[in-house]
Amino acid sequence: MAESDRLSLDAEVNERAKVEEVELGLADRLRSALGCLVTVHLSGGETLHGTLAHAGADALVLHDDPHQILVPYAAAARYVGLGRFSRSEPSKVRRGLGLAHSLRALARDRAVLTVTLGYGAGPVRLEGVIDRVGRDYFDLAAVVPGEPRRSVHVTGVSSIPFAALAAIRSPLVRDT
């Protein structure tokens, strides 16, 4: 009887573990690798390396001195270096912060960014400052190299759908 009860309990524990595993998302797997060196192979063929610094709802951030790289999950073909564990995000608020939130933070910083678009014949890189972020796109103002973002220095504005975004490289901001 005791052996039967133990086997029944083991089966229930295994079944519950499988149910929990099915409910885990990619962000949960990435979150467990925070602080680890990770390689991200983008769908467009480019490969990025860096220390995983953040795993949000729609994108991750790699630190690759002297830059940080924002990568939407949809742009990645595969990840290397994640390990076997998962960690869920306990904060409901943080779970709801998506790609648009990250892009708005970059827009507030007004830093010159390198934006990689990942579709077509190969990666296309644009440099500029994010002017505006909508629900599913952002506007990137190309500026004269070495000049601050002022209307007289803007050479053109591109509207970029989130779906076309492969990565954004920005200067790494260190906490002091």
Side-chain angles (χ1 to χ4, degrees), residues 155-169:
T155 59
V157 176
S158 298
S159 294
I160 301 170
F162 288 176
L165 179 61
I168 295 180
R169 187 178 300 267

Side-chain angles (χ1 to χ4, degrees), residues 1-164:
M1 277 292 271
E3 182 66 18
S4 175
D5 287 344
R6 189 187 63 74
L7 289 173
S8 179
L9 178 63
D10 286 348
E12 183 178 343
V13 167
N14 286 336
E15 185 61 30
R16 286 184 184 197
K18 287 178 185 176
V19 167
E20 285 179 12
E21 197 171 286
V22 168
E23 293 177 1
L24 292 174
L26 177 60
D28 298 325
R29 284 290 310 281
L30 289 162
R31 206 171 287 110
S32 72
L34 290 174
C36 296
L37 186 61
V38 173
T39 301
V40 181
H41 296 270
L42 300 178
S43 300
E46 191 171 353
T47 301
L48 304 171
H49 308 279
T51 302
L52 184 59
H54 176 75
D58 299 329
L60 62 86
V61 175
L62 296 175
H63 283 184
D64 178 26
D65 273 340
H67 299 98
Q68 60 184 3
I69 307 166
L70 175 78
V71 181
Y73 298 146
R78 68 185 175 111
Y79 303 90
V80 177
L82 295 187
R84 308 250 328 129
F85 300 103
S86 297
R87 181 184 312 157
S88 62
E89 174 57 66
S91 169
K92 188 175 181 176
V93 172
R94 274 191 245 156
R95 277 194 309 265
L97 298 178
L99 182 58
H101 177 79
S102 299
L103 294 175
R104 284 186 188 98
L106 289 170
R108 276 191 304 273
D109 291 347
R110 306 303 271 171
V112 176
L113 311 168
T114 302
V115 175
T116 303
L117 307 179
Y119 298 102
V124 174
R125 287 184 181 73
L126 305 170
E127 287 198 6
V129 176
I130 296 177
D131 269 351
R132 169 181 325 161
V133 179
R135 185 179 71 232
D136 58 357
Y137 77 97
F138 65 99
D139 288 344
L140 184 73
V143 294
V144 175
E147 296 294 334
R149 166 55 176 103
R150 304 278 185 265
S151 58
V152 296
H153 300 137
V154 173
T155 59
V157 176
S158 298
S159 294
I160 301 170
F162 288 176

